[in-house]
Amino acid sequence: AEAAGNPVFFYNLPASTNFSLNADLASTLFQQNIIQGVKYTSSDMLNLRIIMDACGQKLKVFSGPDEMLLPFLTMDVLGGIGATFNCMPEIFVGIYQSWKNGEIEKAKQLQVKANRVISAFIKYGVIGAVKASMGFLGIDCGDPRGPLPSLSDEQKENLKNDLREVGFFDAN
């Protein structure tokens, strides 16, 4: 953290690391000014609450699971950092603004809409699908870097059809 010269955030991603941040470690790292915050990409919201309580309100916490932005906002996170935000910015900004304005039903409807798209992405691999969908929107982001797989032409066509079915192109 000292060498970086910038605030360091712990990226809690237990699905990929087989390790989940706990309150003791988070509190130690935070109190020693090693971390300033956390990108919390796990559905274990109880653990998140325990971490936030242990560290206090100065710990900056962002939601990682795109499909759970709204529930995480109810847990007092500052916002979200997500791959699918890139191809659905209007929806995710709408979720956040609706939440801030107390328009919970609108926020829920937008989260459901985002989750339908995310469900389609999951069938093909999220990163490859996000990159392909950005291409569908006219922004060429290339292919994922290895070891993540690229989508075949057939998969891209199937993804495009799935996205049409869930109204992706209507929202963008």
Side-chain angles (χ1 to χ4, degrees):
E2 195 173 298
N6 288 306
V8 173
F9 278 65
F10 189 101
Y11 187 178
N12 189 58
L13 185 60
S16 294
T17 62
N18 293 318
F19 175 83
S20 186
L21 183 63
N22 60 53
D24 290 337
L25 178 58
S27 182
T28 298
L29 295 172
F30 184 65
Q31 288 173 5
Q32 293 178 6
N33 206 30
I34 295 170
I35 65 168
Q36 301 300 307
V38 177
K39 177 184 177 187
Y40 192 87
T41 306
S42 169
S43 61
D44 186 347
M45 294 179 84
L46 177 58
N47 185 51
L48 171 64
R49 182 78 264 156
I50 294 168
I51 289 168
M52 291 172 76
D53 289 346
C55 294
Q57 293 181 342
K58 290 186 179 182
L59 180 73
K60 296 168 181 67
V61 180
F62 291 88
S63 167
D66 303 10
E67 68 277 8
M68 296 180 68
L69 176 60
L70 181 57
F72 271 79
L73 289 170
T74 70
M75 297 293 288
D76 299 324
V77 302
L78 296 174
I81 302 169
T84 67
F85 293 12
N86 293 294
C87 53
M88 298 184 281
E90 296 89 355
I91 291 175
F92 284 103
V93 168
I95 292 168
Y96 183 81
Q97 287 178 337
S98 297
W99 162 253
K100 284 297 205 184
N101 294 335
E103 298 170 296
I104 306 307
E105 191 56 41
K106 181 177 179 183
K108 284 175 17 182
Q109 290 171 1
L110 289 168
Q111 185 71 69
V112 167
K113 189 171 193 171
N115 289 0
R116 287 185 179 129
V117 173
I118 293 167
S119 293
F121 288 167
I122 289 169
K123 288 171 48 178
Y124 302 94
V126 174
I127 301 302
V130 166
K131 286 184 169 274
S133 70
M134 293 296 290
F136 301 155
L137 298 173
I139 302 168
D140 183 3
C141 293
D143 291 323
R145 285 193 273 171
L148 298 175
S150 299
L151 273 60
S152 68
D153 289 341
E154 181 180 350
Q155 287 174 315
K156 287 179 184 176
E157 195 58 39
N158 290 339
L159 171 62
K160 190 181 286 187
N161 290 332
D162 290 349
L163 292 175
R164 277 189 194 106
E165 287 180 24
V166 296
F168 173 78
F169 297 103
D170 302 335
N172 291 293

